[in-house]
Amino acid sequence: MKHAEAPIPTPRGVLFDFDGTLAPNLDLMDMRRQLVVMAEQTDIPRAVYQDLYIVEMIEAGSRWLGAHRSERQAQDYAQASQQRIIDIELAAAAETTLFPFVRTLLSRLNGESIRLGIVTRNCRAAIHRMFPDHEDYVQALHARDDVAHLKPDPRHLEVNLQALDVDPKEAVMVGDGILDMQAGLALQMHCVGVLSGSNDTEALVAAGAHKVLPDASQLADLF
Ligand SMILES: [Mg+2]
């Protein structure tokens, strides 16, 4: 594929996904399994949520309960489900450390005057727990609690790019997720997929990756 071989010009900014990219992935399958049990206990029909990401699944389930049961049930379900996600994220974060190359990589990119951001669907408290000194390395962090629209919605990346004062066309999106590539592509960013998370080369290229690396440690060599 021609676009997969195009060189990447030196960017002004690089946005990183977090889980699967800068740190080992969360067990999203187990999180989903727990959230499905909660939805089933509330009698939300599977068709309401089965094709959705976890956060969107809770929103859809809550909307359904509001329309078909009661506003009170909708609120209780949403609150309990959101709290379950946070509990899982914080428990995982307590046992997870950054990939060993991360601080070296980020320092090198900063040394080349490239501005850096993190865009993640994880919660801010979990990122603080795994990367307490992130402010020494990245200039903008937008976690789930910081934004109204989560990736693959490109507005999640846009708000980070605005904080960095970087044009998307002069920026690179790095992630292990299909939704990272989709969101980056929507903004005409250069998209670099990494295999340190939950997808293979074929899936990342199909989602829009211009380049795929084993992990992000080689990133600085691309520019
Ligand atoms: Mg990820």
Side-chain angles (χ1 to χ4, degrees):
M1 279 187 162
K2 197 176 171 195
H3 81 279
E5 291 159 12
I8 295 179
T10 303
R12 289 193 57 240
V14 175
L15 271 53
F16 291 93
D17 165 54
F18 193 82
D19 296 283
T21 302
L22 298 181
N25 233 343
L26 282 165
D27 189 349
L28 293 173
M29 295 293 282
D30 183 60
M31 185 191 284
R32 186 175 188 86
R33 187 187 58 74
Q34 293 192 40
L35 270 292
V36 166
V37 169
M38 293 179 81
E40 285 174 345
Q41 286 168 345
T42 322
D43 293 330
I44 300 166
R46 188 168 285 255
V48 170
Y49 58 80
Q50 64 184 358
D51 296 326
L52 301 176
Y53 292 116
I54 290 169
V55 173
E56 291 77 358
M57 170 182 165
I58 295 170
E59 289 169 354
S62 181
R63 270 198 305 275
W64 186 88
L65 286 170
H68 297 90
R69 296 291 187 268
S70 69
E71 203 46 49
R72 175 64 185 271
Q73 265 188 286
Q75 284 176 11
D76 287 351
Y77 162 77
Q79 193 177 18
S81 298
Q82 284 157 0
Q83 189 58 51
R84 177 68 66 91
I85 296 181
I86 292 168
D87 291 346
I88 295 169
E89 287 169 335
L90 291 180
E95 297 177 355
T96 304
T97 52
L98 295 179
F99 288 134
F101 61 79
V102 169
R103 288 183 178 85
T104 306
L105 168 69
L106 301 181
S107 293
R108 180 173 164 190
L109 295 172
N110 272 321
E112 294 174 22
S113 301
I114 298 171
R115 294 177 65 73
L116 306 178
I118 293 174
V119 284
T120 176
R121 291 172 61 103
N122 205 332
C123 67
R124 184 169 262 266
I127 305 307
H128 277 283
R129 192 169 280 190
M130 289 182 274
F131 194 5
D133 52 341
H134 68 84
E135 287 184 352
D136 295 338
Y137 296 89
V138 302
Q139 289 75 51
L141 162 66
H142 287 92
R144 182 174 69 248
D145 10 359
D146 298 319
V147 294
H149 307 282
L150 290 168
K151 56 185 185 179
D153 190 318
R155 285 174 286 189
H156 189 168
L157 278 52
E158 251 173 351
V159 72
N160 194 265
L161 288 162
Q162 282 162 8
L164 297 176
D165 194 23
V166 170
D167 187 300
K169 289 177 185 161
E170 296 180 290
V172 173
M173 178 67 210
V174 185
D176 72 300
I178 300 302
L179 43 71
D180 298 315
M181 302 299 100
Q182 291 170 335
L185 204 61
L187 296 176
Q188 295 181 274
M189 297 171 73
H190 293 277
C191 296
V192 176
V194 290
L195 301 174
S196 47
S198 51
N199 286 289
D200 60 17
T201 301
E202 191 181 10
L204 289 164
V205 169
H210 299 94
K211 183 88 185 168
V212 177
L213 298 173
D215 60 42
S217 66
Q218 311 293 311
L219 185 72
D221 299 331
L222 287 183
F223 315 138

